[in-house]
Amino acid sequence: MRMRDTFIKPMHPEGIKFVAIFAAITLVLFLIWQPLGWIGVGLTVWCYYFFRDPERVTPDRPGLIISPADGVVSLIEKAVPPAELGMADEPLTRVSVFMSVFNCHVNRTPIAGEIKAVAYRPGKFFNASLDKASKDNERNSLRIEMEDGRDLAVVQIAGLVARRIVWWVEPGSKLRTGERFGLIRFGSRLDVYLPDGVQPMVKIGQTMIAGETVLADLTAQG
């Protein structure tokens, strides 16, 4: 890897207009007062890195469930998947990955399969690290039918400063493990509802890398 590639990452197209806005404001700030302009430069660089979209090397062994988001595991608990997905009304193990404003916010498919349902629901904007965010916050939910016929749910949840959930998949879409499916702007969380009987291989506080960190293994013996 070249030294330049360590610091300069590809940017998702969703971020182009925001970086342009930050850059334009920075030019105005320089005209007003040079120190303000340098603050604008720092914020523009941050905006660019927020929308970074680096390539990831996804494990390709069948049965692995991969983290859909960069961030930290904030919760592991039993919970019923969002009702709008039409899944069974039984608690499943939910693993929540909290993304700060410094994480890459491009979301990736945790496991290969077909999208059976996509359900957006408006809501509030509590801190995404809180448990009640799963129930009350704005969210977009996906139900993925895996190759073995079982379902897995992944939910994008808006956070305290997030005001836009983006996704580009629809029912019938067939995705590979680690494939990009959406992003959330400015601080948020991803919940993964594991199939019944599948145990997570991560712990609260663990750092996750979207498309790379193994979250669970369908073939593991409990």
Side-chain angles (χ1 to χ4, degrees), residues 197 199 220-222:
Q199 298 300 315
Q221 301 298 316

Side-chain angles (χ1 to χ4, degrees), residues 83-94:
E84 58 265 28
L85 287 179
M87 298 174 65
D89 190 21
E90 298 291 338
L92 299 173
T93 298
R94 181 178 68 197

Side-chain angles (χ1 to χ4, degrees), residues 18-195:
F18 290 95
V19 173
I21 291 171
F22 272 68
I25 293 173
T26 296
L27 291 176
V28 174
L29 292 176
F30 268 118
L31 294 174
I32 296 173
W33 189 40
Q34 187 170 341
L36 286 177
W38 287 112
I39 292 174
V41 169
L43 292 173
T44 301
V45 171
W46 167 79
C47 185
Y48 161 75
Y49 270 93
F50 179 88
F51 287 102
R52 66 193 182 277
D53 185 15
E55 294 298 325
R56 297 287 165 80
V57 180
T58 302
D60 58 4
R61 182 168 69 78
L64 293 182
I65 298 173
I66 309 300
S67 177
D70 285 15
V72 175
V73 177
S74 59
L75 292 169
I76 300 177
E77 59 189 358
K78 290 286 188 178
V80 176
E84 58 265 28
L85 287 179
M87 298 174 65
D89 190 21
E90 298 291 338
L92 299 173
T93 298
R94 181 178 68 197
V95 179
S96 301
V97 180
F98 174 73
M99 298 179 286
S100 77
V101 294
F102 298 106
N103 289 123
C104 172
H105 273 56
V106 175
N107 305 143
R108 293 172 179 264
T109 310
I111 195 166
E114 180 178 346
I115 303 296
K116 289 297 185 179
V118 179
Y120 171 78
R121 196 206 70 172
K124 300 177 182 178
F125 297 96
F126 293 121
N127 187 323
S129 65
L130 301 177
D131 178 51
K132 63 181 179 180
S134 293
K135 178 181 178 181
D136 296 327
N137 281 25
E138 175 182 339
R139 68 189 184 215
N140 182 59
S141 306
L142 308 179
R143 177 163 60 91
I144 302 173
E145 183 180 84
M146 301 178 294
E147 293 180 355
D148 63 6
R150 288 186 288 176
D151 287 335
L152 175 146
V154 57
V155 184
Q156 298 170 286
I157 300 174
L160 186 64
V161 295
R163 288 297 184 272
R164 173 74 168 153
I165 298 176
V166 180
W167 67 96
W168 44 83
V169 296
E170 56 187 18
S173 299
K174 294 184 179 180
L175 305 178
R176 304 181 306 275
T177 304
E179 186 172 348
R180 300 166 178 85
F181 74 87
L183 61 82
I184 314 176
R185 291 208 291 258
F186 308 125
S188 43
R189 169 173 146 191
L190 266 285
D191 285 351
V192 178
Y193 291 81
L194 301 174

